[in-house]
Amino acid sequence: MQPAHPSQRVLKRGDLVVEQIKRWITERNLRPGARLPKEVELQAHFGVSRGTMREALKALEVQGLIRLSTGPGGGATIEAVSLDRTFQFLQNYLFFQDIDVHDIYAVRRLLEPALAAAAVPHLGEEHFQALERSIACCEPMAGTAEALRQRTEDLHFHDILAEACPNAFLRFHCRLINALLQTLVVGSVHVSEAAYQALGCAAVAHHRKILAAARKQDAARVARLMLAHIADTEQHLEAVQAELRSKLLLDSEMKLRPAMILPAPPAP
């Protein structure tokens, strides 16, 4: 037998079963909510031991592809991989990369104006009301802690717009950027409260203009306003000496994003 190439990973038995189950799911076009056969049936189908099958199922659960439950009605249920789980993998990758806030904003300037413009024709009154509530929550208040909370709500405004974007791939990237900004970007503790207040005031002003243009169904103006908002926010982050915090996201820190108030739109 020829030895494995140094760049070729030798898969363990459990890993091979994971690949087989993925092919099985793909070939049958199983969707979220579908149940996999019982563990004993999977063992017989793939010809593996109980320990190997449990190892494979646990690996699929860690990847976010299935949910395991116990009890008489327990088993493995297929799930759509959550944004939180995807973000955790991304943050693990970025932990070992040399990037900063300006790198994130360079990508944000390219993507978010396009997302906002694409969302405009799909915005309904429920979206507009949610955007209004978000703006109201961001009205500047005293206290640095409150300003930091409002920074999260500022990003929620952008997530509401993302919900209305019919391009799932674009929506995915912009929401990941928002998650990065929420959990990784931190300001200096030595910055004055006035600097944080200025950041909040600027965000509210930009959001009001974006909302007004969106209500008029002016997608081109929304894109221009969003680009100006992103550029201005980056300058304010410089003023508060914001930097990217290097950390690994723990399972206990999952579900950091506010719950979405609307279902994602169907693909076009």
Side-chain angles (χ1 to χ4, degrees), residues 137-172:
C137 288
C138 285
E139 291 288 0
M141 297 174 64
T144 301
E146 183 65 21
L148 294 175
R149 185 194 66 78
Q150 289 171 336
R151 178 65 184 146
T152 297
E153 186 58 43
D154 167 28
L155 292 167
H156 187 224
F157 179 95
H158 295 261
D159 278 337
I160 295 168
L161 288 175
E163 288 177 358
C165 177
N167 185 325
F169 196 61
L170 180 57
R171 183 172 67 241
F172 163 77

Side-chain angles (χ1 to χ4, degrees), residues 135 204-214 221-222 225:
I135 292 172
V204 167
H206 283 291
H207 287 180
R208 289 200 181 283
K209 291 177 182 178
I210 291 168
L211 176 56
R221 179 166 170 76
V222 166
L225 289 170

Side-chain angles (χ1 to χ4, degrees), residues 80-203:
V81 179
S82 69
L83 181 72
D84 284 321
R85 179 62 66 187
T86 306
F87 175 57
Q88 185 181 41
F89 290 139
L90 174 63
Q91 191 162 328
N92 290 347
Y93 169 79
L94 293 177
F95 181 75
F96 299 102
Q97 305 302 313
D98 184 19
I99 65 171
D100 60 21
V101 173
H102 297 294
D103 293 325
I104 295 176
Y105 267 79
V107 178
R108 196 181 191 200
R109 284 195 299 272
L110 293 173
L111 296 183
E112 193 148 9
L115 174 134
V120 168
H122 305 277
L123 291 171
E125 187 55 37
E126 64 272 38
H127 293 95
F128 293 132
Q129 291 178 9
L131 292 168
E132 289 279 11
R133 289 194 297 270
S134 178
I135 292 172
C137 288
C138 285
E139 291 288 0
M141 297 174 64
T144 301
E146 183 65 21
L148 294 175
R149 185 194 66 78
Q150 289 171 336
R151 178 65 184 146
T152 297
E153 186 58 43
D154 167 28
L155 292 167
H156 187 224
F157 179 95
H158 295 261
D159 278 337
I160 295 168
L161 288 175
E163 288 177 358
C165 177
N167 185 325
F169 196 61
L170 180 57
R171 183 172 67 241
F172 163 77
H173 281 87
C174 289
R175 289 197 60 198
L176 279 180
I177 289 172
N178 288 344
L180 281 172
L181 293 173
Q182 179 184 332
T183 59
L184 294 185
V185 176
V186 294
S188 171
V189 295
H190 304 295
V191 174
S192 68
E193 182 179 311
Y196 282 110
Q197 291 282 355
L199 173 61
C201 287

